[in-house]
Amino acid sequence: MIVVLKPGLTQGELQKVIERIESFGLRAHLSEGTERTIIGAIGDERLLVDQTLESFPGVEKVVPILKPYKLVSREFQNRSSVIDVNGHKIGGKKIQVMAGPCSVESREQVLEIAMLLKDAGATFLRGGAFKPRTSPYTFQGLGKEGLSHLTHAREMSSLRIITEVLDPRDLEAVYDCTDILQIGARNMQNFKLLTEVGKLNKPVLLKRGMSATVQEFLLSAEYIAAEGNRKIILCERGIRTYETETRNTLDLSAVPLLKQLTHLPVFVDPSHGTGRWDLVAPMALAGVAAGADGLLIEVHPHPEVALSDGPQSLKPKKFLSLMNDLKKVAEAVGREL
Ligand code: PEP
Ligand code: MN
């Protein structure tokens, strides 16, 4: 980092700044100009970033050079990560489609959807057993019973499973029945939960918080990576803006941006990103065109009676036709479905 000093600072003030930098194991390189003096702090400055050097008398400004995240950055690893999830590669040439209902509602419901999705070419079945609902009076998910329905659907369909975990206390139960742990938008900054999934040997799909910047999103991924778990998939699912016609504003520019900043695979969730089933297919196609490695899509055979997120759920027939269109877009951008 570069520390810009105020004109007229005293020798004593300068010495204090240098001592502070050196106390973090960094080297202070002084460079005196005609107008200003600056210090180049050489070493891993991340430890110092939050350490309010700017509050020292004589310091005008601190300019960080390194990104605040490390393990998930492209600077750390230039090669794109490919995550093998029980035989399905995420982040490779193939676009992976994870689809299913917002909530697991019954044994029959998930099984019916799983079979339809399998025929349509999806590779993963999604479905929440633990649901993070905005209102405490709405359906909260079937919990452990829902997990057993997912396990049943996995056995019958051989689709891989992705399901959300809300609470570190449920991790053990969720761990066994899922191939990917989903961390939802509302928990993107639940640092305790991130730390716990970071200790596991299980892929994690981390959704972007609805008011998170790209940098905050990557720092949350860094929490997981820092504990040892590098099998992280990022998912853009829309952010809150002033727009009210859609549930969220799907930030598609985040896809190519994340691809520049990180080596982790990037997914798009056009269902939560728009909140409207009629916008899901165009945004799914756009997501793949923008470079997404996969999609997370809500599908329900009877959206009108779905216990959550019916208005943004595709009916199976629409999903099938989307899969056909996706093939063409995938090929056009050098990928396959
Ligand atoms: C979901 O996938 O059903 C969900 C709750 O998503 P998000 O965390 O993005 O709101
Ligand atoms: Mn949902």
Side-chain angles (χ1 to χ4, degrees), residues 97-119:
V97 179
M98 305 180 177
C102 178
S103 299
V104 173
E105 297 173 6
S106 71
R107 200 172 175 89
E108 298 70 39
Q109 176 237 21
V110 266
L111 188 59
E112 180 190 354
I113 300 177
M115 291 311 186
L116 291 166
L117 293 173
K118 194 183 171 181
D119 287 345

Side-chain angles (χ1 to χ4, degrees), residues 100-105 109 113 126-135 138-142 164 247 271-272 275 298-300 302-314:
C102 178
S103 299
V104 173
E105 297 173 6
Q109 176 237 21
I113 300 177
R126 62 144 289 148
F130 296 97
K131 294 303 302 176
R133 303 307 304 283
T134 302
S135 163
T138 53
F139 180 60
Q140 302 288 305
L142 295 179
E164 179 164 358
R247 181 177 179 183
S271 308
H272 294 86
E298 288 186 343
V299 178
H300 199 294
H302 315 288
E304 60 287 353
V305 292
L307 294 180
S308 58
D309 288 350
Q312 66 191 37
S313 299
L314 286 184

